[in-house]
Amino acid sequence: MNYQHSHERSIADPAGFWAEQAQAVSWFRSPTETLRALADGTHQWFADGQLNSCYLALDQQIEQGRGEQTALIYDSPVTNRKARYSYRELRDEVARLAGALRELGVEKGDRVIIYMPMVPQAAMAMLACARIGAVHSVVFGGFAPHELALRIDDAKPRLLLTASCGLEFERVIEYKPLVDKALELASHRPEHVLVLKRPQAPVTLVPGRDLDWHAIVPLADPVEPVPVGSGDPLYIMYTSGTTGKPKGIVRDNGGNAVALTFAMRHIYNMQAGDVWWGISDVGWVVGHSLIVYGPLMAGCTTVLYEGKPIRTPDAGAYWRVIEEYGVNSLFCAPTAIRAIRKEDPSGALSRRHDLGSLKHLFLAGEKLDSSTHQWLGKLTGKPVHDHWWQTETGWPVTAPCTGLEGCVSRPGSSNRAVPGYRVAVLDEQGQPLGPNRQGAIVIALPLPPGCAQTLWNDHPRYLQSYLAAYPDYYHTGDGGYLDEDGFVHIMGRTDDVINVAGHRLSTGEMEDLVARHPAVAECAVIGVPDAIKGQVPLGLIVLKDGSRIAEQQLQRELTVTIREQIGALACFQRIALVKRLPKTRSGKILRAVLRKIANGEAVAIPSTIDDPAILAEIGATLAVYTRAS
Ligand code: COA
Ligand code: AMP
C-alpha cells in the first residue's frame, strides 16, 4: 500500500476504504453497512457488525498460534518486580476476572471504574470488562478524590476496581483512602469496590462493600467473550474540557478495532511477534490504544512499565528496558525525554545499552521541540517521529505512516494526515487558509473509525464542543498551520486547555478553584512554558481591595487547594499578583490574548479591549515566566 494513494482513496471513498480495512478484523458478524451519516452531523461505522474487543486482543491471537508468545511484559522498577504473561496466560487471567465481575453483578452495558496503578491487573480489568460487554472507565491515579467523584457520578459504575497503592519514585501513594474519600463525595454508590492488595501498603476493607481481589477472583469461573454491537461503547475516557466538568469521551468497539488494527500496521509498522512499548499510563488514551488494545490486537508483545524515565533508578531506565526486551518501536511523551536529557545530557547512560532492536521512536502528547527531537535522534541513531492525536480521536490524526510505501517523516512538523483524516486550517470566519497561514485546525467530516462520536450522557455537549463551530468539520481545539506540502504544524491549544507533562488539564477548572479563595477578586490561569513539563499553570491574580495576604502565603494555599481538588499532577505552584487583567469592554477576560503573550506570540491589540495599556503590564509580568523556562 502506498501512502498517497491510500490517503486520497480514504477521502474520496471513505466507506469503500474502511470496508476493506475492516476485513483485517475478525468480526462475529461482519458489517454489511460501513458508514451511516446521522442527521446531527455525526456518523456511525459498521453499524450492524458484531465483535468483541477482548476476543480480538487475546482469544483470536491464540487461535492464530500465538498462545505461547509473550503478550504482556510487566516491568516495575519501583517494586523490583518483572513478569511475563503469554497470550494464553493473559487470556486465562482475564477470563477468570471477567467471571468474577459477572458474579458481582456486572452485565453488558454496565460501567466499571478502574482506579489503579500500572500493574498488569489494570490491563486485565480493562480486557475483562470488554469480554463481557461492560464499559470501563479508567481514572488516572494522579487525580484527587474530587475528580474521581465527578467521574463516578457521571459514569454511575456498578463496580469500582482499585489497588491499595501506587508507587511514585520511592513514595507509596495509598489509593484506598482516596477512593473512600471519593465515595463520600459522590452521590452515586457502586455496589462493590474490588481491592487489589499490594504488599507496599496495608488496606482496610469496608465490610459489605469492599472485596479482596485475591479472595474473589481466583474462585471465579472463567467466561467466554460475548458479541457486542460495533457501536456499543468499549470505554469512557474522561478528559479535560474548558469547564470544570470533564468530558466523557466514548469509544465504540467496532471503529476502535478497525482503526487500531490499521494504525499498528500502517502507522507504527508493527507485525505480530514484534515488541511494542507504549510509554504512558493506562489512565490516558495512549494507555488504552497503545498499551492494551492496539498492540494486543496486532499480536505484538506489549510492555507495561511501572516506573518513570528518571530516578527509577536513573535516566538510563528507558534504554535498559529497550535492551532487555528487544523493544522494536515505542511511543513516549517529549517531557520524558526532556527529563532524561536534563539528568544525562551527554547520553552516557544510553551507551551502556544495546538499542539495536529499535526501529522507530514515536513522540506525541505535546509539542516536540526541535532541540529534544535532534538530541533523541542523535542519541539513538534511529528515526524519531512527531505525531499528533487526541483523546477524542483515539489514534493518530497526523503521523508518518511507516508501514506504507512513500512514507516521509518531516522533522519540525507533526507530519501529514494519515488515511481517513482530511485536515484543514480555517480562519475565524470558517474560511480555509492557504499554506503557512495559522488558524484553527479542523478535520473534515466524516471522522474515520475509532474517533469519538458522542460524550457519555451528553450528546448535545459533543455537538456543541466539536461540530458547532465550523459546519462539516470537527473542531480540534488546536491551532497551527499546514505547510505547502501538507505537513501539519501544531502550535498549541486555542482554548482553555493546557498540557502539563503530557497531562491535559483545564485552566477553567483551576480558575474556579482559585477564584473561591477569599483574598482573590479575579483571576486567570494560563499555561506558561516549562523546560521539562512543556507547560505549567500560572495563576494571574487580582487581590481584593484591602487584602493583606502575602503572595507566598496565597501561593501555598492555592497549591494545596489545587492538589486536593484536582491532584498533584496539575503542578500548580506559581502565581503572579497583577493590578488588573485585560478585558473586553463588556468585562470578559481576554484569555486568548494572555495565552499568546505567554507563548511569546505577537499580539494584535483587540479592538474590544477596554484599556490597551494593560497589555504592556501583563507582558512584563509574563516575560519573567517565559524567561524562567
Ligand atoms: N498516582 C499518584 N500520583 C501521581 C501519579 C500517579 N499515577 N502520577 C503523578 N503523580 C503525582 C506525582 O507524585 C507528583 O506529586 P508531587 O508533586 O507530590 O511530587 C505530581 O503528581 C506531578 O507528577 P509528574 O507530572 O509525574 O512530575 P514529576 O516531577 O514527579 O516527574 C517527569 C516529572 C517528567 C519524570 C514525569 O512527569 C513523567 O514521567 N512524565 C511523562 C509523562 C507521560 O509519559 N505522559 C504520557 C501521557 S500520553
Ligand atoms: P490528550 O487528549 O490528552 O491526548 O491531549 C491532546 C492534545 O495534546 C492535543 O489537542 C494537542 O494540544 C496536544 N498534542 C498531542 N500531540 C501533540 C503533538 N504531536 N504536538 C503538539 N501538540 C500535541
Side-chain angles (χ1 to χ4, degrees):
M1 267 168 91
N2 168 282
Y3 164 74
Q4 197 69 37
H5 175 251
S6 300
H7 188 259
E8 282 164 14
R9 168 117 204 278
S10 74
I11 301 305
D13 176 19
F17 179 82
W18 288 109
E20 264 169 37
Q21 302 312 319
Q23 288 171 18
V25 165
S26 190
W27 300 82
F28 289 170
R29 188 171 78 200
S30 293
T32 57
E33 183 187 1
T34 304
L35 177 61
R36 185 185 294 172
L38 306 180
D40 60 10
T42 59
H43 292 81
Q44 196 179 348
W45 286 98
F46 318 115
D48 59 348
Q50 289 198 343
L51 74 171
N52 182 285
S53 297
C54 176
Y55 165 80
L56 295 174
L58 300 175
D59 308 67
Q60 193 219 355
Q61 304 303 328
I62 298 168
E63 288 167 16
Q64 293 188 344
R66 285 189 271 283
E68 307 320 314
Q69 180 195 310
T70 302
L72 186 142
I73 295 170
Y74 168 55
D75 186 290
S76 171
V78 289
T79 58
N80 280 322
R81 279 205 59 216
K82 291 174 188 175
R84 280 175 187 263
Y85 297 83
S86 68
Y87 269 97
R88 194 179 307 284
E89 286 164 339
L90 189 59
R91 193 269 318 267
D92 292 349
E93 295 273 357
V94 167
R96 205 171 284 287
L97 178 55
L101 299 187
R102 200 178 265 166
E103 285 163 26
L104 291 170
V106 178
E107 297 290 339
K108 187 172 169 179
D110 284 343
R111 275 79 58 214
V112 173
I113 282 198
I114 301 170
Y115 185 69
M116 295 181 77
M118 284 289 283
V119 289
Q121 287 83 356
M124 289 170 192
M126 294 161 71
L127 291 160
C129 289
R131 195 168 186 84
I132 57 172
V135 182
H136 59 74
S137 184
V138 186
V139 179
F140 179 62
F143 278 120
H146 166 73
E147 290 290 323
L148 178 56
L150 284 177
R151 288 153 173 79
I152 291 171
D153 279 340
D154 197 60
K156 301 200 171 25
R158 191 176 281 270
L159 191 68
L160 194 153
L161 306 185
T162 191
S164 54
C165 66
L167 290 116
E168 282 289 296
F169 297 114
E170 275 155 14
R171 250 173 339 128
V172 174
I173 313 253
E174 290 195 36
Y175 277 32
K176 187 54 182 18
L178 304 177
V179 169
D180 291 340
K181 177 79 185 153
L183 289 173
E184 265 171 54
L185 297 171
S187 319
H188 174 80
R189 299 264 171 278
E191 283 162 32
H192 292 290
V193 177
L194 189 58
V195 187
L196 181 78
K197 289 184 181 168
R198 305 187 81 192
Q200 294 80 8
V203 70
T204 314
L205 300 182
V206 175
R209 188 195 71 185
D210 299 349
L211 303 165
D212 178 350
W213 186 299
H214 295 302
I216 299 270
V217 178
L219 304 181
D221 289 326
V223 296
E224 292 299 312
V226 302
V228 299
S230 170
D232 286 344
L234 168 64
Y235 66 81
I236 308 168
M237 171 92 255
Y238 287 91
T239 189
S240 298
T242 51
T243 67
K245 190 172 181 286
K247 292 173 172 168
I249 302 296
V250 178
R251 186 86 52 226
D252 68 355
N253 274 276
N256 184 59
V258 174
L260 293 184
T261 303
F262 180 86
M264 291 309 295
R265 263 190 212 168
H266 301 304
I267 298 178
Y268 298 110
N269 197 16
M270 297 302 288
Q271 315 296 327
D274 285 349
V275 182
W276 168 264
W277 187 15
I279 315 180
S280 180
D281 187 289
V282 287
W284 304 115
V285 67
V286 175
H288 289 58
S289 299
L290 292 187
I291 296 177
V292 181
Y293 292 109
L296 295 177
M297 284 178 178
C300 298
T301 297
T302 186
V303 180
L304 187 140
Y305 175 72
E306 188 183 25
K308 296 274 176 172
I310 52 170
R311 289 164 43 210
T312 59
D314 59 29
Y318 280 12
W319 319 128
R320 191 263 306 161
V321 171
I322 292 167
E323 178 182 39
E324 194 164 335
Y325 306 116
V327 171
N328 299 119
S329 249
L330 60 79
F331 170 104
C332 83
T335 192
I337 303 302
R338 288 195 296 265
I340 293 172
R341 182 186 182 185
K342 179 159 181 273
E343 306 245 322
D344 180 24
S346 70
L349 293 170
S350 76
R351 288 190 283 280
R352 295 188 197 160
H353 298 280
D354 178 0
L355 308 182
S357 59
L358 203 55
K359 293 186 194 134
H360 297 271
L361 298 99
F362 292 87
L363 276 79
E366 44 163 329
K367 202 164 170 50
L368 172 60
D369 55 282
S370 56
S371 154
T372 304
H373 192 153
Q374 281 164 16
W375 183 81
L376 184 60
K378 212 164 147 212
L379 186 88
T380 57
K382 311 287 173 178
V384 175
H385 310 292
D386 188 7
H387 67 323
W388 166 65
W389 45 307
Q390 311 182 303
T391 306
E392 287 84 343
T393 65
W395 65 292
V397 182
T398 68
C401 291
T402 61
L404 294 180
E405 288 158 24
C407 157
V408 181
S409 181
R410 178 172 289 182
S413 81
S414 304
N415 289 297
R416 287 182 290 189
V418 306
Y421 294 97
R422 184 164 73 79
V423 175
V425 179
L426 304 182
D427 69 13
E428 278 167 16
Q429 283 70 46
Q431 295 307 310
L433 288 166
N436 302 315
R437 299 211 29 221
Q438 203 168 315
I441 300 192
V442 295
I443 304 168
L445 300 180
L447 291 170
C451 297
Q453 298 283 346
T454 192
L455 296 178
W456 185 254
N457 277 338
D458 206 348
H459 193 60
R461 189 177 179 198
Y462 177 90
L463 299 176
Q464 184 56 36
S465 306
Y466 302 112
L467 304 191
Y470 304 106
D472 302 324
Y473 290 104
Y474 163 89
H475 180 211
T476 65
D478 282 317
Y481 64 93
L482 281 160
D483 66 21
E484 46 287 312
D485 301 319
F487 287 77
V488 175
H489 298 251
I490 306 290
M491 304 308 289
R493 297 289 304 194
T494 56
D495 56 11
D496 298 332
V497 166
I498 56 170
N499 211 307
V500 181
H503 308 324
R504 174 168 158 182
L505 297 163
S506 158
T507 53
E509 184 176 13
M510 293 185 219
E511 272 174 27
D512 285 349
L513 294 168
V514 172
R516 284 186 213 165
H517 192 284
V520 174
E522 54 184 3
C523 67
V525 176
I526 54 169
V528 291
D530 180 85
I532 301 294
K533 298 192 177 187
Q535 278 187 305
V536 288
L538 167 73
L540 295 171
I541 292 172
V542 181
L543 286 180
K544 283 185 182 156
D545 285 349
S547 174
R548 296 181 158 212
I549 191 163
E551 183 166 340
Q552 275 193 342
Q553 178 62 17
L554 180 61
Q555 177 165 319
R556 274 195 295 273
E557 289 178 16
L558 291 173
T559 299
V560 170
T561 303
I562 303 271
R563 278 180 83 91
E564 283 177 0
Q565 296 293 312
I566 297 179
L569 82 165
C571 293
F572 184 94
Q573 280 153 6
R574 296 182 192 177
I575 62 167
L577 297 185
V578 291
K579 289 199 193 73
R580 49 208 182 130
L581 290 165
K583 288 190 190 165
T584 59
R585 282 182 215 105
S586 59
K588 233 177 131 215
I589 296 174
L590 287 160
R591 289 187 171 73
V593 171
L594 289 172
R595 262 197 306 275
K596 281 191 178 155
I597 300 179
N599 288 338
E601 291 172 37
V603 179
I605 296 179
S607 56
T608 51
I609 197 165
D610 69 340
D611 178 5
I614 196 170
L615 291 185
E617 272 171 49
I618 292 281
T621 306
L622 286 178
V624 175
Y625 293 92
T626 315
R627 271 201 306 275
S629 74

Coordinates of all heavy atoms in Angstrom, one line a residue, residues 125 128 137 354 382 450 576:
A125 N -8.2 -5.9 33.9 CA -9.5 -5.4 34.3 C -10.2 -4.7 33.0 O -11.4 -5.0 32.8 CB -9.4 -4.3 35.4
A128 N -11.2 -7.6 30.8 CA -12.3 -8.4 31.4 C -13.6 -7.7 31.2 O -14.6 -8.3 30.9 CB -12.0 -8.6 32.9
S137 N -14.1 2.6 32.6 CA -13.6 3.9 32.6 C -12.4 4.0 33.6 O -12.6 3.9 34.8 CB -14.7 4.9 33.0 OG -14.3 6.2 32.9
D354 N 22.4 -1.8 24.5 CA 22.3 -2.1 23.0 C 20.9 -1.7 22.6 O 19.9 -2.4 23.0 CB 22.6 -3.6 22.8 CG 22.4 -4.0 21.4 OD1 22.1 -3.1 20.5 OD2 22.6 -5.2 21.1
K382 N 18.2 6.5 15.6 CA 17.0 5.9 15.0 C 16.1 7.1 14.6 O 16.1 8.2 15.2 CB 16.2 5.1 16.0 CG 17.1 4.1 16.7 CD 17.5 2.9 15.8 CE 18.5 2.0 16.5 NZ 18.9 0.9 15.8
G450 N -13.1 4.9 14.9 CA -12.3 5.0 16.1 C -12.5 6.3 16.8 O -12.4 6.4 18.0
A576 N 1.1 35.0 40.1 CA 1.7 36.4 39.9 C 0.6 37.3 40.2 O -0.5 37.2 39.7 CB 2.2 36.6 38.5

